[in-house]
Amino acid sequence: MCEIAEIEQALRRAAPHRLVAVVEEALRDRGVLRVELRMADYGLRTLQLVGDVSGADVSVPIHDSPQGRAFGAQEPHVVRESGTLWLHLPVTVRGDRLGVLTAELPPRADVGPLLPALAQLCEALGHEILVAERDTDLYVLARRATRLTLAAEMQWQLLPGRSCARPEFALAAHLEPAYAIFGDNYDWSVSDGRLTLTVTNGMGEGIEAALLTNLAINALRNARRAGLPPADQAALADQAVYAQYRGDAFVSVLLLCFDLATGEVEAVDAGSPRLWRQRGQVVEPVGFEAQLPLGMFEDTVYVPERFSVRPGDRLLFGSDGVYAAVSPAGESYGDRALARALRGTRLLPPTQVPQAVLRELAVHHGGSPLEDDALVVCLDWYGTTSTVAA
């Protein structure tokens, strides 16, 4: 087999739509018969085959398939059946789970020596997929199990990813309904020593909500990239939204900036997204002084608040489609049910928590469709060596 460095170079030189073919060609001299790549769909329910043009449904479920087992556990999974050996490997980049690469091998192949190199190859493939998506729709198309609404298309294009992992933290997010979201969104950015996280909820539905959220997110990014602190980021975005809508539309935002070295957090609560914290066995809401949503009035002044996170803390952020959803008996999900769901998912990794909470939300709501889109973001805080020692 070619050295991994040679395969990485071949991937970089390849046409964007030929990445899987390059991997397959490089692995043939090691006995690999063929490979296929599947991408996780937007709803995180299925793994979709890349490059399928048959029109047939060749997806496999994430929660009940060998490929899904590798995706969920983030570990290689070997299956021997019908005289064939299948090796399923997760394709993940910096904690963002993209999909699964499957290699077909002869039934008596020894996969042990292959695994370290193939894991490195999958990481290289993941990086090249993210680059290739600038130039081809192939991988984006494989992410969808059905057609997106235009509003959802606009919202998904805004997102930084579905998960992110660093030594100091791991976070993940999920939106429902994935194929018809309106105004809910999230954003994060990790720079030298800081994590900035925003959870937003634009008012309205459809295209109007998507346009509003797009304006707010890009205004917040513009201010962040100019080096402004969180309160000034909110103020600049507030001015941008008000200038466009003159108070007829507004965006609720929870904006937080984490110091990766100390765990100190600077927060601006401008509206409805909420935050819960699990520390040990205790689950409680983290309250802030409510400030005006972005764009409601001209020249709003925002005041930052501060709190600290400790190693082992789990933070859960939810839009109003989560905490305000009511049961048939009239109980809001955010009152007690969300705390129960958070305790019940304490052993799950952050990548699995948002979906688990949203499944509990669906049960709480009586199984009927939600009246609003719902967003859940989960953040596990590990801290640095110095904060753990402290």
Side-chain angles (χ1 to χ4, degrees):
M1 182 177 71
C2 298
E3 294 294 331
I4 291 299
E6 295 178 10
I7 302 178
E8 291 177 349
Q9 290 178 6
L11 285 170
R12 285 194 290 270
R13 292 192 300 265
H17 62 281
R18 293 203 70 253
L19 299 181
V20 179
V22 168
V23 170
E24 185 173 77
E25 292 164 4
L27 294 178
R28 278 180 184 155
D29 67 344
R30 195 58 181 264
V32 173
L33 305 176
R34 69 181 183 93
V35 301
E36 65 181 28
L37 174 66
R38 293 178 180 272
M39 305 288 288
D41 87 301
Y42 288 115
L44 283 177
R45 295 181 180 89
T46 60
L47 290 162
Q48 306 285 125
L49 185 63
V50 172
D52 176 60
V53 294
S54 66
D57 183 7
V58 293
S59 64
V60 298
I62 285 179
H63 297 292
D64 188 24
S65 67
Q67 296 93 332
R69 181 170 174 177
F71 181 82
Q74 288 294 285
E75 294 178 351
H77 181 55
V78 179
V79 177
R80 299 177 190 269
E81 60 179 16
S82 304
T84 303
L85 186 152
W86 301 94
L87 177 58
H88 306 292
L89 300 132
V91 178
T92 301
V93 179
R94 293 194 175 100
D96 192 10
R97 303 178 300 166
L98 302 182
V100 173
L101 182 73
T102 296
E104 179 185 351
L105 295 99
R108 292 181 176 81
D110 183 7
V111 300
L114 280 173
L115 289 179
L118 287 179
Q120 187 178 345
L121 174 59
C122 285
E123 184 176 0
L125 175 61
H127 280 280
E128 292 306 317
I129 288 171
L130 295 183
V131 174
E133 285 183 342
R134 300 179 308 177
D135 302 314
T136 178
D137 286 336
L138 179 67
Y139 308 101
V140 174
L141 289 173
R143 296 175 189 268
R144 54 194 70 190
T146 187
R147 183 173 178 176
L148 295 171
T149 65
L150 178 55
E153 184 91 47
M154 295 169 65
Q155 296 289 52
W156 279 106
Q157 292 302 310
L158 271 181
L159 300 179
R162 284 183 295 211
S163 51
C164 177
R166 285 275 302 264
E168 302 89 351
F169 67 87
L171 64 88
H174 193 64
L175 284 158
E176 283 290 341
Y179 292 87
I181 51 176
F182 301 135
D184 286 2
N185 213 287
Y186 60 86
D187 194 26
W188 60 64
S189 176
V190 186
S191 58
D192 185 19
R194 294 196 174 274
L195 163 68
T196 301
L197 171 65
T198 57
V199 182
T200 59
N201 180 16
M203 66 176 290
E205 298 181 356
I207 296 299
E208 291 301 321
L211 288 170
L212 174 62
T213 303
N214 265 259
L215 174 60
I217 290 289
N218 280 292
L220 287 166
R221 287 175 175 171
N222 178 258
R224 183 187 73 220
R225 291 164 182 169
L228 300 180
D232 291 340
Q233 293 175 32
L236 187 148
D238 170 71
Q239 293 168 17
V241 174
Y242 185 84
Q244 183 68 31
Y245 293 95
R246 312 305 295 180
D248 292 334
F250 51 85
V251 181
S252 299
V253 175
L254 180 59
L255 193 160
L256 302 104
C257 185
F258 295 78
D259 187 311
L260 299 180
T262 66
E264 296 296 314
V265 187
E266 190 172 351
V268 174
D269 181 2
S272 65
R274 306 289 181 90
L275 169 61
W276 288 264
R277 176 178 60 211
Q278 181 170 14
R279 179 171 288 170
Q281 297 299 315
V282 178
V283 176
E284 58 187 357
V286 178
F288 302 105
E289 181 180 346
Q291 302 182 66
L292 293 173
L294 306 183
M296 182 171 282
F297 296 104
E298 189 174 12
D299 296 328
T300 303
V301 176
Y302 293 95
V303 179
E305 300 179 67
R306 290 173 174 80
F307 69 101
S308 298
V309 286
R310 302 175 186 171
D313 281 357
R314 168 166 284 179
L315 303 181
L316 194 80
F317 306 81
S319 65
D320 59 359
V322 176
Y323 69 81
V326 296
S327 69
E331 179 188 23
S332 294
Y333 187 68
D335 291 343
R336 289 180 296 177
L338 191 140
R340 291 196 299 268
L342 192 50
R343 292 190 188 95
T345 58
R346 67 186 183 279
L347 299 180
L348 294 178
T351 51
Q352 298 181 24
V353 171
Q355 269 195 302
V357 170
L358 288 168
R359 286 195 295 268
E360 290 291 325
L361 174 64
V363 172
H364 174 87
H365 197 251
S368 58
L370 296 173
E371 298 174 359
D372 191 6
D373 41 341
L375 164 64
V376 174
V377 181
C378 179
L379 169 66
D380 277 9
W381 188 260
Y382 309 134
T384 61
T385 304
S386 59
T387 57
V388 172

